[in-house]
Amino acid sequence: MSLPFEKPIDDLEAKITDMRSYAEEQGIDLSEEIGLLERRLEQLKRDTFANITRWQRVQVARIAGRPTGLDYVANVFTDFEELHGDRTLGDDPALVTGLARLGEQTVIVMAQQKGRDTKENILRNFGMMHPSGYRKAMRMFDLADKFRLPIIAMVDTPGAYPGLSAEEQGQAWVISECIQRMSRLKVPAISLVIGEGGSGGALAIAVANRVLILENAIYSVISPESCAAIRWRDSSEAPQAAEALKLTAYDLLDLNVVDRVIDEPLGGAHKEVDATMAIVKSVLLQELGDLLKLDEVSLLEQRRARFRALGRFEEVLEAA
Amino acid sequence: MSLPFEKPIDDLEAKITDMRSYAEEQGIDLSEEIGLLERRLEQLKRDTFANITRWQRVQVARIAGRPTGLDYVANVFTDFEELHGDRTLGDDPALVTGLARLGEQTVIVMAQQKGRDTKENILRNFGMMHPSGYRKAMRMFDLADKFRLPIIAMVDTPGAYPGLSAEEQGQAWVISECIQRMSRLKVPAISLVIGEGGSGGALAIAVANRVLILENAIYSVISPESCAAIRWRDSSEAPQAAEALKLTAYDLLDLNVVDRVIDEPLGGAHKEVDATMAIVKSVLLQELGDLLKLDEVSLLEQRRARFRALGRFEEVLEAA
Amino acid sequence: MTLERWFRRKKPTKGDDDSSPVGLWLKCESCNAQIYRKDLVANLYVCPECQHHYQMPVDARLELLLDEGSFEQWSGHIQATDPLEFVDQEAYADKLKAAQEKHHRKDAIVTGSGLLNGLPVALSVMDFFFLGGSMGSVVGEEIARAVERAADEDRAFIAVTASGGARMQEGALSLMQMAKTTVALERLAEKHLPFISLLTDPTTGGTTASFATLGDIIIAEPKALICFAGPRVIQQTIKQELPEGFQRSEFLLEKGMLDDVLERSKLKDKFAAYIRLLSGKVPQVTLEAEHVATL
Amino acid sequence: MTLERWFRRKKPTKGDDDSSPVGLWLKCESCNAQIYRKDLVANLYVCPECQHHYQMPVDARLELLLDEGSFEQWSGHIQATDPLEFVDQEAYADKLKAAQEKHHRKDAIVTGSGLLNGLPVALSVMDFFFLGGSMGSVVGEEIARAVERAADEDRAFIAVTASGGARMQEGALSLMQMAKTTVALERLAEKHLPFISLLTDPTTGGTTASFATLGDIIIAEPKALICFAGPRVIQQTIKQELPEGFQRSEFLLEKGMLDDVLERSKLKDKFAAYIRLLSGKVPQVTLEAEHVATL
Ligand SMILES: [Zn+2]
Ligand SMILES: [Zn+2]
């Protein structure tokens, strides 16, 4: 559950624990020394995370033990009732959907779910959705519009499933339809990238009024591995590709791809899950509160304008 | 191509043909005799069709050589461009859909197609639609609403396909959705039963502002054969079942299930296809002309009220 | 009375032939265990041994879903008229009359209002024992009226289905009830009121292919047969055995057609949760106060 | 010039490496026939022997679809800025510059207006030879602007796609073009103007999963590769050979994803027919006059 660059932190944490039990065993007072070490630990964490590379960030975003979609559903929301099925093709376990409360407000929550162990990974197809998952999302959009319930979508996927059955069932068609359908929502929509925002498979549920991202989450047009395989012809160049792709939370904020970065507890969301949940809940409550002030037309126009404006280019004088 | 009860007509027709060639061969004038026979033939046809049983009507509705959906598409409409696929599951050949002109008006035309020979029967699954066919119909409803094009639907099916794959893909779900979707159309919709209107599989594309039926077509909650198998425990009792089900055009007019019966040329649509097409075209033009005078809200309300009102029951004083 | 009548039946059949004798014990049709009938009833008509869900009489269903004493019946003011003068081996008129007398209701449906964990609801419950729960003009009209009244009274609507499909003795008029019930639901939708559909064993044909599958939320009881074409019809079409569990609730959940399969004992609380959540309209006041409290 | 450049390529590849020598003859990649290059061009880049549809240069495509001399170019007033300062084995900025010089355009797209059998249309044509027709900020913006201007000028819109997907050198900004092009289409929809999408070989990834598959009518050229995930990616996932014809136009037509597969020579007239039909709005005058005439 630890990454190589986290080793010095883990070592120091272990040392402090050692010293504490030693002091207790021997009945001597080492509180001053321990206090000193704890301050050093905090500084070490701060320095480490301030300087980690984009590739290390990718690893944190994917680390086992990092809270998954269902963890947020369980801890940020209350009264969750899961709803199943797309009424067309199936029920995709890679996207969990249902009704829940965020504070006092009923919302429709959807979460891409990667799985928390090997068994769940397989059940959830590692968070890679099939067309039926996107159709389920669209069914939820319909329900949201009908009952005027805001949408909260948690994004965490390596990408839409690139398989035979998915292509046969029109993966491209259903993603474009999902993008369009979400852009037409008459209710507030917030998407939050909690881990990995993988390409079109992520975007399909992230055409929201507000797109948020956790500090150590990533959002990219392609995985660093695939990018490296294509552009460097060597997937082991993934660290370089991650650097080039500018896929971290603050990179994306600079590019206006996301609207807000939610800082994680020091050391990452997986180190302090409860604190992470509390922060996410308070941010979502505040963001939703703001959006609930807008009427249907404003919500639609704001969402449309937001995505219409994305991209970087310059005007030139002579046409070519 | 002839039914048993049509035999006297066929015999007389053959006799007249014989006499004509005899007169020509021999160079004698038999025009008076032939004229007499022709008047007798017309009377015979009139008497025969005035008195045929409901079961005979069922047989006429299904007779080989009776114009099929595609015959109407080709002869009543112009500029037909077929559109394929439901963008979800497949392209169902049992329902032909596309853009066409009826007079000067572009319409979206859809026709259940049984097939005109064994090969086409198999290709078209005998006009029994799969869920993808109903989804294709719904795609056409969307297109109709978007481009404000009226819907003309030709009904001719033994029923929705009762097979394994159809059930797996939610045949019941897609039929109810199709009924609902058609009831919500913002444009004029006319359905015309041209042959066999088989149960829910037919109704799904017959939730129209005006439901028309050809004189020798039928429209029923169940086929006479299946009804006989269930209620008489013997499918050979189909003639009795047909009688009991009151499934002919004028029966249905009495019950308000259809709004208008289109009389066929004497002897049935299969005897004079061109004349049938001309009659159908003129009726559709007139009906569409009337509906085009109504605005969106009136069309919706009229359609809803039409179906809300169907059924026969009596009020009772004491509740039970 | 109703429960007693139910006892005469051992397993779901056409619903118009229930002459089997009443006994104190029955053999579970699913696990073969000997069950004391009283225990079965006390256990909501669910086998205490294997959890097999038996069909439930209408009265017991109302008792299950509604708060005690809250039910007010709406249905029962209309009756069928035999518009086709339908006769097979027996006249429809006679059959109908016999069913009415035996089951003490006008047709295969009961509708009304009540409270569900204190929430105002309206509901329709089909009676499979009355001519196989078939939908003719009266069943369609009762459902349509109940849905519309629910809309007028701002009640969530619950439809409990158990039906062999459209009633063929009323011909095309029965078929039209599929469209009638569907358009009636528009009133409910316009008022943003929830429609929960509960599919119970068996729900087939024209009932499945109309209002039953148009619920905002669709729930089925375990192992219920739910289909458009019945298994026998399909077997005749494809000339081969159907896979185990085909057209049963669990299969349909997997195929994406249901929101959930729920045990009978959980239905009431789940329905209350759905209705409460779906009624959570966007409030005019913002959530800022709570936000501050959370920080 | 454009046609000549095309000749340097024998088969579709990445589009950024076309150094093969120019010859008078080529061997058809589908039927192996020796074809005189001039005949191929005269035959709309379709093999005269086997009807294999080769990729078509942008200029030839415009000539194919528009009435002579009617094209007015809209695109070309913006260019990419390398917002990520992306460098792999080569700098994106350099690569872009080289492509611009070689292909004499700013990016992998041309948009503009014209007449199609006399009908006013606007269109966007992707250039697969320019960095694989990849969609970055400029391609997305050009499409969005063209769609919006088409709406303002009451023109039907035709999108001709040929693209390797999103341009990875612009990272998440390229991904966002999928949403941008999609929301731009709303303007067209609001004016009830037709959007015809023509998918040509190859159309993949983020292009397929956005505006390309949102056409009111979607047409593909014969045997075009059209997919979300490319065949190689899928093979890596499933570790087995893909079926013959998988992800090709004819396969997708069967799967319900296309309205039709049309030969290149038929496109213009068919598009005219679609546009005329879809423009046939409900007229204010009724059809009574004609009705009387018909009777
Ligand atoms: Zn049991
Ligand atoms: Zn060739």
Side-chain angles (χ1 to χ4, degrees), chain C residues 7 10 21-28 33-40:
Chain C
F7 281 152
K10 246 174 45 202
V22 181
L24 280 172
W25 296 86
L26 63 77
K27 200 167 104 179
C28 173
Q34 290 290 328
I35 322 168
Y36 190 42
R37 285 178 189 273
K38 240 177 162 170
D39 289 346
L40 185 69

Side-chain angles (χ1 to χ4, degrees), chain D residues 48 66 77 92 109 113 126 189-190 205 222 248 253 258 272 289-290 294:
Chain D
L66 297 180
H77 299 277
Y92 171 50
I109 190 137
S113 65
M126 294 176 112
E190 282 158 7
R248 298 283 164 179
L253 181 64
L258 304 174
E290 182 172 356
T294 313

Side-chain angles (χ1 to χ4, degrees), chain C residues 28-33 35 47-52 54:
Chain C
C28 173
E29 69 181 47
S30 173
C31 71
N32 289 324
I35 322 168
C47 170
E49 299 297 320
C50 73
Q51 308 306 315
H52 179 75
Y54 285 84

Side-chain angles (χ1 to χ4, degrees), chain D residues 16 25 53 100 156 159 197 199 239-240 280:
Chain D
D16 46 11
W25 296 86
H53 281 56
Q100 286 171 337
S197 185
L199 312 178
K239 317 278 183 211
Q240 59 186 59

Side-chain angles (χ1 to χ4, degrees), chain D residues 28-33 35 47-52 54:
Chain D
C28 174
E29 69 181 47
S30 173
C31 71
N32 289 324
I35 323 169
C47 171
E49 299 298 319
C50 73
Q51 308 306 315
H52 180 75
Y54 284 84

Side-chain angles (χ1 to χ4, degrees), chain A residues 59-80:
Chain A
Q59 292 173 297
V60 176
R62 296 171 176 171
I63 196 170
R66 185 170 172 86
T68 64
L70 277 176
D71 295 314
Y72 292 93
V73 169
N75 294 297
V76 170
F77 301 85
T78 57
D79 305 304
F80 176 63

